[in-house]
Structure formats: C-alpha cells, structure tokens
Amino acid sequence: MFNRIYNYVGKYRLYFVLLVLILCILSIFRLITLSFSSNIDLMLPKGSEIARDIHFLQNSNLSDKVVISLKLNDSGLSQRKLIDAADELTRSLHSPYITEIVSNISTSNYLDETTELLNYAPQLITVKQLEKLRKRITPDGVKTALQNIYNQLVLSPGSSFYSSFICSDPLGAKMPILNSLKRLGSALGYKVNIVDGHLISNDGKHLLLILTTSVKITDMKNGRLLFSYLNKRLKQLPEYVTASIVCGHLHSISNEDIMKSDIAVIITIASVLFFLLFIFLFRSIRAVLVFVIPFIGIAISAGICSLFINNLALFVLGLGSVLAGIAIDYGIHVYIAVRTGGNSSENIKKVFKPLSIGALTTIGILASFFYSKIEGYHQLAYFSVIGLSICVLCSVFLLPHFLVDRREVRKFNSIIHSGNNYYHILIIICWTVLIIFSIFYSVRLKMDNDITQFDGSKSEIFKSESSFHKIWGSPNQTAILVVEADSLNEALTLNGLIYSKAINEIGKDDISSIAPLYPSKAVRDKNVKSWLKFWSREEEVRLKSLIRKYSPQFGFSPDAFSPFFKNLYKGTVVKEQIPEFMSDLLKRFIISNKNGYKILSFFPDTQNNVSIMKRICKDFKGGFIVSRKSMSNVLSETIYSEILYMSIIALFVIPILSLLLLRNFIKAFIALIPVFSGFLGILGMFSVFDMKFNIPGIISTVVILGLCIDYGIFMVYKCDSNTNTGTVIAVILSALTTLMGAVGLLFASHPILYYVGFTVVVGIFFGVITAILVVPAFYKLIYRKY
C-alpha cells in the first residue's frame, strides 16, 4: 500500500504541488481578512468560576468607562483656564461610541435629588429604625436634637449640605438614608473636589472627565476607532493642558499590538535561521523545501481552523513557529534518508515507520488538549493536529520526489557506537545526577496564580495608570457581590436577603449596596405600613407640641420645622418602576440586559470578607462574588487542576502509544527516558531561574513531551534496526530546528510567548541530549548489541 501511494503521488507530483499551493494561497488570503482574538476568556475553563467572573467584568458597566485626566501645566494660569479647556473638549466630543460624558456635577440638581430621596423615606425606613426614633420623641430627646441643630448652625457652621436638610428632619429620622447614600458613594473610590461643578484633584491642577462608551473592552476594531477619535480631539487642547487616558480598552489593544509584533519578529527570526541552516549546512537550494513544508502546513491548518472556529486566538498562531519546529522534523528525517540512501519507495519506507510512530505519539499528545475545559487548548489541538498531519503527508509522499540523491551527508553513527560499557555507564551516571538535581529543584517550584500574568501591555500604559492613581487616589480594593435574576424585583429581593445577612457578619459600614436605598417592592410595602402605623395622629401631634414648646429656647420659630410635617406622608405610594430621580444614582449598581438583571454591591476585598460572602451566597441561588484575590486563588486551583488532568492523560497516552507502536515493554521504557528528562528539566530550570510555572508553561510542556518521545522512538528504532538512514543527525537537526523556531519567542515582549519560548528551549535541550547519549547507553547495557 505504501509503495502504491508513494509511486502514485510521484507520478502526479506537479498536480499535488499545485493543489497544495492553491490551498495555501486561499488560506493566507482568508487569514489576512480575519480578525483574531486575544481575549483572556480563551485561556479559562468554560463554565468555571474564574471564567464567569472575567466574563462579568468584561460585559458589565464597570469596564465601559474611559477616564481622561487633564493637567494644567502652567502654574501661572488660573484654574479657570483648565475648566474652560475641559468644557470646550466636552462640547467637541460627538462620537457615536461615546454614550455619556460626566464632566461636571450640578450642585443644585444633586441637592434636589437628595431631597427627593429623603421624601422617599416611608419606603426606606425600617421598623427597627422607627423604634429608635420613638425613643427620641420625649422632652429630653427633642431638647437634645434642637441643641445639636443649634450647635451645627451657629457654633460650628461648615456643612451647608447638612444644614439644608435640617428643617425637613429635626430628629434625624431620615439620617439612615443619608448614611446609606454616603456608603454608596464610597464605592467610587476616587478622591475628588467639586469646584464649579467639576471634578478637581486635591492639588487643584488636574480635572477628571468620565466617558461611558458602547465599545466593549474586547472589541479591538471599534476600540481603535474610538481612541483614534479621542486622540484627534485631545490634540486640539491648548498647549498649557495635557491629557492622559486610563481604561481597560487600552490593555486589550496593546496586547493585540504586542502579540502581532512579536509574531512578526518570531517568524522572521525562525525563517532566517531555517534558511541559513539549510543553505550553509547542506549547500543545496532544495533543502529550502524542507523549510517550506511546515509553513505551508501551518497556513493551511490555520485556514481550515478559521472555517469552524469563530474567534481564532492570536496566541495559537503565535505558537506557529514552535509547531513549525516540530513539523520540520519529519522533513529533515526524509531529507537525510534521501541523501544517505536515495528517494526510492523502499528507502523512504525505512524511515516511514519510526517517523509515523513519532508523528502519531506527538499528535496523540496534542490531541489530549481536546479533553481540556479551556477553549484555547481546543484551538491549539485542532491547529496542531491538522497542521502536523499535513506536514507528515507532504514530507513522506511529496518531498522525496523533489530531492536529489547525492549521498553527501556524513554519518554520525560513531556517536552511539563509540565507547565500551564503562563509557555508557558513565553517561547513565551523569544523567542520573542531572535528574536528581532537577527533582531537587522541581519540588521548590512555585505556581503563578496572578491574573495579570496574561497582560503584556506596553509599559507606558502601566506608568500612566500609576501616575493617575497618585493624583486621584487608588481605587479601593473592593470585591463585588453580584446578584442576578430574571426580573428586577426578584434581583432586589435576593439582594436584600444577602445584604441583611452580610451586615451582621461583615458590618454595615463596609458594604456599599442599594439594598437600604431601594429594596424590593414587598419590603417597601412593609416599610410604608410601618411608617403610617408609627406616625399615628397622636404621635404626630405629640412631636409637634414638643418642638413648639422647646424651639424658642434655642432661637427657632415655632414653625421652623413645618417642612418635616408637611412631607410626612409624601412617598407612601409604592410603584414598580424606579423613580426618575433615583435612576442616575442606581445605574452604576443595576445592570440590565436580555438575560435579566444584575445588582452589584461592593465590600473590602479581604480573604475573610470574601469567605463570608461566598458562604452566604451558597444559601441563595443567583448570587456570586467577584474578587481579584479570589480570582488569583481560583486561577491557581484551575492551573493545578489542568496540570493534574493533562498529566494523567499524558502519563497514559505516551506510554500506551509507545508500547502499542514499538510492541516491546523495555524498548518503550527506553524511548520514554527523554520524556522524563525533558519534563523534569523544565520544572527544574523554572525553579533555578526563580520563574513561576504558569498556563503557557503547561501548554508548552505537553507539546515538548510529544517531541521528546519522538526523539526517543527514533533513537530506539535506530539502535534496534541499525539502518543507514541518518537517524542521529536527523534527530540533532530536528532539535536544532525546533530550537530555532522557539528561540524567537525568547525575544517576545508578551509574557505568554516568552514563557512558551523558555519552556520549549529548556525541554528540547534536555530531551535531545538524553535521546542522543542516554537512550543508546541504556539500549547497549540492556541488549548488549545494536
């Protein structure tokens, strides 16, 4: 069958070449027109807690803000100049991508809205708060309240905001509402001063603009258009005003730019190294064909994958050079076989068996990614399995027909034939010491569970954010309680239940929630009934009498507090919809979409608080916690889970495939030696260089295991058959080309690609050295022959 297929392809080789080239050109054309994804979701398990949290942050109104900080550079100019420049900039912003601009706050509107909120008191004041108020409706209680009001207005005037509400609330009955409003405002986290309605920094030299955009943080195309528009407008600012932008969109765009730039550098370095290797080592232009096949396979594979994968990840394409280093191995073995024994079907058949065994084990290892819960791993599996399969077929059945049989390659058999038993024992002893050394350092290896490890944004972005936080104060490190339900009232009910439990364990002052300001309809109905029952005719008359009696003692007229009684029953009509005056206040904390409603609450992100809130949420369906510290822990658990899962698969797949294909337990064991060496070498070197292991390292390690088993199988087959197909030099060149494909990753700026490069370089080095020296040594000592 092999001879028939091989000879048939040789007879019509030009047609097959034309077919491959057409597929390659079509694939490249499609890839040029595609938009690739650098979304972190692709690196997280579907349906997991960490994926849910990241998806929430990306699609909530917390990530659609673009903050612009304007700075007055000329100390000789007044603050008015800065405000005028900000107003002019605000008037010029008309992009459809900008849905709202917060540039100033009207004090009068804010006071009016707060007054409306206080008139809403009958629906917000609870039975417990009314009972506390009852204790104040006494002669001593009223006199104490009037004394406090006098002190506030006469002896220590300072809070005009507070004094504007005194007449409408002499006993502080509505003060819990103001306290809840204050706690709600603390969730903003920035330190600002209101000057002429504008948000001004403490030093008076900076002004804050907050833009709401319809562009999602993961929408790179529209994000670029948005920032192109903003940059044009910012260039029109006066010379004495400079601007800096802070938002999550910049990280997404920067990551994509750096990834694309790194990919270009990686491919360039790999291409140059491959070309120089084959031109100067073999001095034959036909050697370039070995180099071309992997990139053709990668291009066609990416094109095929793009047909059924909608959001093909950039990091998958970034691993293309590593895949090229793997795929080129097959071409090298065929090339060396042709140069040592010719391109006849009988000679190519000699190398076909170990090559197909090695390819099947590598593809088997990479196919194990299909069993992962991470979508990015699935893409890598499709991309690599299809690409390697194409490369194997082209290398075995198509490449030999275009190579010339010159038989000029020097034999490297002396490397494994030289030396006696003592030499091989020495090799094994040295290898054992190296393995012990690797194990010693491997146990000290640490995992990187920081979610920011995937952020390869430019340093200027981090510097700008650092400067921003120094000026405006760092946002509070807060965790988020998210409550979701199909309807708003259901979400409000659940939010209130969780809030009432949380304040008993965490404390009311540490939770910023809308629960006290806008509870469910059932709670508001209950509060109104309690309010009406409390303010019976006798209670109202009693309070009026006490105020009239004691007001003259403190210089107040008898009717000074009539607004309180006038509005006593205002706000007792409970409605379903949110009052208009509360919409601006609540929109930050309520998210609505086609899937229902989400209500957000904020609390300090401490391990104790997060543990308490998670425990409470377990009792209620629809509540979950989003915490950066919790994300790190969950990511760590996910990494360990994936390591364990993939390791178990690899531990089964590699030995089973090796045993099935080699059909000998001892030979399979010897072939696995480079696998153990590469794996332990990677873990050991990560620890030696004080680098933490992470997800990119996991992916690369599994790929390296597939390569190392190839080297072991090739060398076992060489030792067992002693055929003259140039196996030793082919293995060396295979490792060298893989290193060439990976060395470009060491120059990558993005951390994901760099860690991949480091893992591949270390793993291949340990694997190939073991395959060339240690595998023959074990084989010699066990079988006493080749």
Side-chain angles (χ1 to χ4, degrees), residues 575-592:
K575 298 180 180 180
E576 288 280 355
Q577 65 272 21
I578 298 176
E580 184 177 350
F581 69 88
M582 294 182 71
S583 59
D584 286 341
L585 174 66
L586 300 181
K587 66 182 180 181
R588 173 180 167 83
F589 301 89
I590 299 178
I591 302 173
S592 61

Side-chain angles (χ1 to χ4, degrees), residues 500-513:
S500 62
K501 279 198 170 187
I503 59 176
N504 293 329
E505 298 196 46
I506 294 179
K508 183 183 297 185
D509 293 337
D510 286 334
I511 303 178
S512 299
S513 174

Side-chain angles (χ1 to χ4, degrees), residues 55 62 116 342 355 374 403 457 465 552 664 670 702 717:
H55 182 266
L62 301 176
E116 287 284 344
L355 191 148
I374 298 176
L403 298 179
S457 300
E465 290 176 348
N664 184 288
I670 297 174
V702 176
Y717 189 81

Side-chain angles (χ1 to χ4, degrees), residues 199-212:
L199 307 177
I200 304 296
S201 61
N202 289 333
D203 62 9
K205 298 179 180 179
H206 299 81
L207 186 146
L208 197 65
L209 299 179
I210 304 175
L211 281 58
T212 301

Side-chain angles (χ1 to χ4, degrees), residues 345-366:
S345 61
E346 291 300 324
N347 188 55
I348 299 301
K349 188 190 295 186
K350 294 178 182 178
V351 77
F352 175 69
K353 182 177 180 179
L355 191 148
S356 59
I357 292 175
L360 285 173
T361 52
T362 302
I363 290 174
I365 294 300
L366 293 171

Side-chain angles (χ1 to χ4, degrees), residues 308-319:
F308 57 89
I309 298 177
N310 295 325
N311 53 346
L312 194 60
L314 266 175
F315 95 93
V316 172
L317 293 185
L319 292 174

Side-chain angles (χ1 to χ4, degrees), residues 545-714:
S545 174
L546 289 172
I547 288 178
R548 287 196 180 105
K549 180 178 179 180
Y550 296 110
S551 288
Q553 296 182 17
F554 299 94
F556 298 115
S557 67
D559 297 326
F561 301 100
S562 60
F564 172 76
F565 298 99
K566 181 180 178 181
N567 297 320
L568 191 60
Y569 301 101
K570 194 173 181 179
T572 55
V573 178
V574 180
K575 298 180 180 180
E576 288 280 355
Q577 65 272 21
I578 298 176
E580 184 177 350
F581 69 88
M582 294 182 71
S583 59
D584 286 341
L585 174 66
L586 300 181
K587 66 182 180 181
R588 173 180 167 83
F589 301 89
I590 299 178
I591 302 173
S592 61
N593 52 42
K594 60 182 181 180
N595 297 321
Y597 290 83
K598 290 184 176 65
I599 297 179
L600 315 183
S601 303
F602 301 85
F603 59 93
D605 192 359
T606 65
Q607 184 176 353
N608 183 57
N609 287 346
V610 171
S611 298
I612 291 173
M613 294 298 286
K614 283 188 174 183
R615 175 168 48 80
I616 294 174
C617 286
K618 285 182 179 180
D619 299 331
F620 300 94
K621 184 180 180 181
F624 62 90
I625 305 302
V626 179
S627 158
R628 174 167 180 172
K629 293 181 179 179
S630 179
M631 280 184 187
S632 297
N633 294 331
V634 173
L635 182 60
S636 178
E637 293 174 4
T638 302
I639 290 175
Y640 281 116
S641 175
E642 286 295 316
I643 287 176
L644 180 61
Y645 189 68
M646 300 303 294
S647 297
I648 291 174
I649 293 177
L651 287 174
F652 277 98
V653 171
I654 294 177
I656 290 174
L657 283 176
S658 302
L659 185 59
L660 289 176
L661 295 171
L662 291 174
R663 301 179 182 179
N664 184 288
F665 181 81
I666 296 177
K667 293 177 183 178
F669 172 78
I670 297 174
L672 289 172
I673 292 175
V675 175
F676 298 127
S677 301
F679 179 68
L680 293 174
I682 290 171
L683 299 184
M685 287 299 101
F686 262 88
S687 183
V688 167
F689 286 96
D690 198 25
M691 297 169 61
K692 296 181 180 180
F693 210 46
N694 53 19
I695 287 181
I698 298 171
I699 302 174
S700 307
T701 299
V702 176
V703 174
I704 295 308
L705 297 183
L707 277 175
C708 291
I709 188 60
D710 284 357
Y711 302 152
I713 288 173
F714 287 135

